[in-house]
Amino acid sequence: MLAIFVNFCIAAIMYLLITTTALYALDRFRTDEVVAGIVSGSFIVGAIVARLVGGKFLDVMGRRRTLVVGLVVCVVLALAQAFVTDLWLLVLLRGLHGVAFGAASSGVSTGVLASIPASRRSEGAGYYGLSTTFGSAIGPLMGILLIERFDYAALFIAAALWGAVGLGAALVLRLPERVLTDADRARLRSWHPWTFVERSVLPISAVMLIASIGFSGVLSFLNPYSVSEDAGPIGGSYFLFYAGVVFVSRLFVGRLQDRFGDNAVVYPLLACLTAGLLVLWVGLEGALPFVSAAFLGFGFGAMMPTIQSIVVSTAGPERVALATTTFFLAADIGFGVGPIVDGALVAAFGYRGMYLALAGVAVVGIVLYLLTHGRIARRTPLAA
């Protein structure tokens, strides 16, 4: 429970800022959507760097130590961004903030996933993933409220306060650490590319990368899209409803996966992701945003712990740290590259055209899953 709370604080920091940074760049610095996408994506690019290094050295540095140091840096950098007046300095600080976020997230997630019994791995990952769900609900809502009632500096001050609360909890949290073997130490001395990622989980992690690219257009550009459609910044209510659907889905999707196998849940989730993006292509009139949020809540929201469970099961207990960081690396690449690509798509085809293109990307994810893991997916419950 304490780890869930810590990860909630980490997730809230990410969702508070990543859903408002593009709008901040457009409004404060009067830039275009391409540059706004770079500002938004720089945070995730930093997280990608942390995942690459963290996957290799996390068990050397220690999971708890990595978590604590990462949160300390998150607090400092969030405060620094409140006073930045130069656009490219903001991009730099957002990137460094992403490094700290990625380190803290990897530390707590690896420790938690390593402690879940194999027979209940999907269910346990789903419960732990609720912390990210709550962060995805509270963060964007808080961001919109802060923009409306104060100014943009309040966003970064709030992120620093959230980080400080998470740090206080992390200081009393104990995580299981792994004792390195001689083989582990030999891999640490090697700088071969395969010592930074877990090769066995790359195919299924690629599915997560594609799904993250699709969802990145919602995270980074939903608020600018709604403003352009004269619907106001609807991100707060959208993500609150999205989180409610995710909460419900994670109470049973993990159990279904443990009982009926991976394919029984992954295909429907990818289909829901596609449908949610297509609804945004149709427009924002009436209840359409909430229909989209419902589809994406089941689609992307329940997908992360589902894929994460597959990753840990595929790699085995001795490779859980590297496999977990490989999974997050794939997701972060999608979130980092996505806003940059999304901004270019908006400039070329408008917001609706972007969401149509992202729906096509989600369909590619279905095909990729079929060609890789779908054909060999487990169809029986995991052994205890």
Side-chain angles (χ1 to χ4, degrees):
M1 294 302 296
L2 191 58
I4 286 174
F5 177 75
V6 171
N7 194 59
F8 159 73
C9 294
I10 295 172
I13 294 171
M14 184 190 82
Y15 281 97
L16 169 69
L17 295 178
I18 201 170
T19 56
T20 54
T21 304
L23 184 62
Y24 170 50
L26 290 169
D27 188 23
R28 175 73 181 274
F29 295 98
R30 303 300 178 184
T31 186
D32 57 29
E33 284 82 0
V34 175
V35 177
I38 294 174
V39 175
S40 181
S42 60
F43 178 88
I44 304 300
V45 172
I48 291 170
V49 175
R51 305 294 190 196
L52 280 171
V53 178
K56 186 178 178 70
F57 297 104
L58 179 60
D59 285 331
V60 177
M61 297 181 287
R63 297 163 183 175
R64 181 177 179 274
R65 183 181 296 113
T66 301
L67 168 63
V68 170
V69 172
L71 282 172
V72 169
V73 177
C74 277
V75 172
V76 173
L77 290 177
L79 286 175
Q81 290 168 73
F83 304 100
V84 169
T85 57
D86 180 79
L87 175 64
W88 296 108
L89 179 58
L90 175 65
V91 171
L92 174 62
L93 291 179
R94 293 293 296 142
L96 294 175
H97 197 176
V99 172
F101 159 81
S105 175
S106 294
V108 66
S109 296
T110 300
V112 169
L113 291 170
S115 65
I116 298 175
S119 61
R120 303 183 67 187
R121 182 163 291 140
S122 300
E123 181 183 1
Y127 294 150
Y128 174 69
L130 288 174
S131 56
T132 303
T133 302
F134 293 136
S136 70
I138 302 300
L141 179 61
M142 183 66 69
I144 296 300
L145 292 176
L146 289 172
I147 290 174
E148 290 178 346
R149 299 187 181 183
F150 301 100
D151 58 17
Y152 287 109
L155 294 173
F156 303 107
I157 294 173
L161 291 174
W162 238 320
V165 172
L167 175 62
L171 290 174
V172 296
L173 173 65
R174 295 294 179 265
L175 295 173
E177 304 287 354
R178 182 168 177 266
V179 178
L180 297 178
T181 65
D182 291 339
D184 293 328
R185 297 185 184 280
R187 281 192 294 269
L188 289 173
R189 291 191 292 270
S190 172
W191 290 90
H192 191 279
W194 291 123
T195 64
F196 288 89
V197 294
E198 175 55 39
R199 190 184 320 201
S200 65
V201 303
L202 285 178
I204 188 63
S205 296
V207 176
M208 193 69 243
L209 184 153
I210 289 176
S212 299
I213 290 176
F215 193 63
S216 69
V218 182
L219 284 177
S220 298
F221 286 101
L222 179 65
N223 280 324
Y225 174 37
S226 62
V227 171
S228 72
E229 296 284 320
D230 295 324
I234 65 171
S237 58
Y238 183 97
F239 285 106
L240 186 63
F241 187 79
Y242 161 86
V245 175
V246 175
F247 177 82
V248 173
S249 69
R250 289 191 178 178
L251 295 178
F252 65 87
V253 169
R255 294 185 181 184
L256 292 176
Q257 185 182 9
D258 284 332
R259 183 173 181 180
F260 298 107
D262 302 330
N263 289 350
V265 295
V266 175
Y267 285 121
L269 296 183
L270 286 168
C272 285
L273 172 64
T274 305
L277 294 168
L278 284 174
V279 171
L280 289 176
W281 164 61
V282 173
L284 298 176
E285 294 80 11
L288 285 178
F290 299 103
V291 174
S292 168
F295 275 122
L296 291 176
F298 277 106
F300 188 83
M303 191 182 304
M304 290 202 71
T306 298
I307 301 297
Q308 196 171 27
S309 175
I310 297 173
V311 163
V312 174
S313 299
T314 301
E318 71 282 356
R319 306 281 288 174
V320 65
L322 196 60
T324 301
T325 52
T326 301
F327 163 81
F328 281 115
L329 175 64
D332 288 344
I333 289 174
F335 284 135
V337 172
I340 300 172
V341 175
D342 298 338
L345 288 172
V346 170
F349 307 109
Y351 289 105
R352 295 196 184 196
M354 176 194 70
Y355 287 115
L356 179 60
L358 293 179
V361 170
V363 172
V364 173
I366 298 175
V367 176
L368 179 61
Y369 178 81
L370 171 64
L371 296 177
T372 57
H373 187 76
R375 294 181 176 180
I376 60 172
R378 61 179 172 87
R379 294 171 176 82
T380 57
L382 284 169

